[in-house]
Amino acid sequence: MKIQIKSISRFAVMAMACGGLCLSSSAFGQTEDPDASKKEAAANKQKPAPKTSAAPAQLSDKDKSFMKEAAKGGKMEVEMGKMAQAKGKSADVKKIGSRMVADHTKANSELMAIAKKKGVDLSKENPTMEKMNDADFDKEYVNAMVKDHEKDLTEFQGEAKNGSDPEVKAFALKTSEVIKKHLAMVKAAQGKMK
């Protein structure tokens, strides 16, 4: 009997070894098919790619026109402000010039950022500068700033109320508050010059 038990034990060990090999070979058979990654890539090409960034929203012609005019006007305010700092005779005019450069540079940067996001090119919008007599520079500059800021205030308030793009409207509303302050400042300076 002892012999029979040994042969059964050896047989059992061999059966277990074969079974283990069969299981491991089937496990190896389930490894990645070399063509599987190609098949998956082809399937992914057919699926539409997920949108990572939204396309620029379409602006109305009115909003684009406003942005272009605001860019021209803002650049003009900066250039004339620099001129006032250099050519101004009174402290008021130099102060106004400095304030115009600071505030309009900031507003211009904000407008350019919005324009870039919306796909509007404002780089070609250049102002035409007014010629001013050096002898009467202060008076001419202040009068020009009053006239310009009255016009700008109307345009910015109109865009804030009637524009179609929420971001452009918010910019117009925020900037119209700055324009109101500028208008009050230049009117006060104008009153001193009469």
Side-chain angles (χ1 to χ4, degrees):
M1 264 237 174
K2 279 187 179 184
I3 296 174
Q4 206 174 14
I5 294 175
K6 281 185 184 180
S7 64
I8 292 174
S9 295
R10 284 184 192 155
F11 180 77
V13 169
M14 296 245 328
M16 287 175 54
C18 285
L21 284 174
C22 288
L23 286 174
S24 67
S25 68
S26 70
F28 286 123
Q30 292 180 1
T31 59
E32 271 192 42
D33 175 13
D35 293 328
S37 62
K38 291 178 187 174
K39 290 175 188 172
E40 188 176 323
N44 285 339
K45 282 183 183 178
Q46 293 174 357
K47 294 178 185 174
K51 292 184 180 180
T52 53
S53 64
Q58 290 296 322
L59 290 175
S60 69
D61 288 341
K62 184 179 179 290
D63 287 344
K64 286 179 189 174
S65 177
F66 167 78
M67 291 173 76
K68 289 177 180 183
E69 288 301 313
K72 276 185 199 174
K75 288 177 184 178
M76 185 190 70
E77 296 290 351
V78 171
E79 292 307 311
M80 289 184 72
K82 288 177 182 177
M83 200 184 310
Q85 289 175 307
K87 292 184 175 185
K89 293 171 184 67
S90 72
D92 281 345
V93 168
K94 289 183 180 291
K95 181 180 174 184
I96 290 168
S98 176
R99 179 82 179 266
M100 295 300 164
V101 170
D103 291 350
H104 285 284
T105 298
K106 182 180 176 188
N108 291 348
S109 295
E110 291 173 15
L111 181 60
M112 292 299 178
I114 294 168
K116 184 177 180 182
K117 191 188 307 184
K118 305 288 181 182
V120 178
D121 181 16
L122 298 179
S123 63
K124 297 173 188 164
E125 304 306 322
N126 295 313
T128 47
M129 299 297 291
E130 293 182 32
K131 301 277 185 201
M132 294 191 190
N133 183 347
D134 284 349
D136 292 327
F137 179 84
D138 286 11
K139 188 173 186 177
E140 287 183 21
Y141 173 73
V142 170
N143 288 341
M145 289 297 97
V146 169
K147 181 181 168 186
D148 190 54
H149 281 78
E150 286 174 340
K151 178 180 161 277
D152 288 348
L153 184 58
T154 301
E155 290 173 1
F156 276 74
Q157 287 175 334
E159 177 66 19
K161 184 178 179 183
N162 302 316
S164 59
D165 184 84
E167 204 168 359
V168 177
K169 286 175 69 168
F171 167 78
L173 180 62
K174 176 182 172 185
T175 308
S176 69
E177 294 303 314
V178 175
I179 293 170
K180 280 182 192 174
K181 291 175 184 174
H182 289 179
L183 184 56
M185 182 171 54
V186 293
K187 279 186 171 183
Q190 188 182 47
K192 291 178 186 177
M193 292 180 182
K194 289 183 177 178

